[in-house]
Amino acid sequence: MANCFISSGRGHFCQGQVGGIKTIFLANWYHANKITDVTVDADTGIVSAVTTASALDFYQFDLDRQTSSFNQTITTGGGGAINYEQGLDVHMSHDSQESWARMQNVTEGVFQVIILDNNGVYYLAGLDNGISVTGGTYAHGGDVAFTDYVGYVMQLIGSEPFPAFNLSTTSPFTAFSSDLTLSATQYNTAQI
């Protein structure tokens, strides 16, 4: 039986989920340092194992509350092709010399991304082709009011043959600890 045949439906879900994302974890995407494959449990649809070329460090970026999002746009072609555009719109307030240098690296890089949403679910995006910054704003209080936004609003986009993989509500840095590491290196207000 082909994969596109369905064998069950989908019922109505009760209310209880919220939108938005709160944290992203970025890993440099290049040939010798990335997740090369995932194993997905056929019953749950959740990733049960990852394969990496080598131990892989992810770096944590905390996002402004209730401002950032993750969406996937599905595009199909008449010849049977399908594509998932994975898009992140992230907001990170405040700025400093260290922050400027770090965000410049993010702007120029290509990444695999683990996304933590506001429901506590982790997703892996950019597995095959990576995700990179396609635009945004470096707002540095250029307006006149004290309450004007100071920080970064960035759009990151990737194009993949599959939607982002569900890593469950268990931290992937615990579940796949031999392969994925959450780096302790994080710039914060103590370094201003």
Side-chain angles (χ1 to χ4, degrees), residues 137-157:
T137 304
Y138 168 36
H140 49 83
D143 292 335
V144 294
F146 286 153
T147 57
D148 289 342
Y149 189 81
V150 176
Y152 301 86
V153 177
M154 304 174 94
Q155 290 80 43
L156 296 90
I157 295 179

Side-chain angles (χ1 to χ4, degrees), residues 56-71:
L56 184 57
D57 284 333
F58 278 83
Y59 300 93
Q60 181 174 337
F61 290 79
D62 297 323
L63 308 175
D64 296 345
R65 293 176 36 212
Q66 299 183 29
T67 58
S68 299
S69 63
F70 171 56
N71 291 295

Side-chain angles (χ1 to χ4, degrees), residues 129-191:
N129 301 309
I131 289 181
S132 59
V133 172
T134 59
T137 304
Y138 168 36
H140 49 83
D143 292 335
V144 294
F146 286 153
T147 57
D148 289 342
Y149 189 81
V150 176
Y152 301 86
V153 177
M154 304 174 94
Q155 290 80 43
L156 296 90
I157 295 179
S159 182
E160 296 289 323
F162 298 100
F165 292 93
N166 186 325
L167 299 176
S168 86
T169 57
T170 303
S171 169
F173 308 108
T174 302
F176 311 118
S177 60
S178 60
D179 299 308
L180 309 180
T181 303
L182 176 57
S183 174
T185 303
Q186 185 183 35
Y187 166 73
N188 58 42
T189 56
Q191 296 167 301

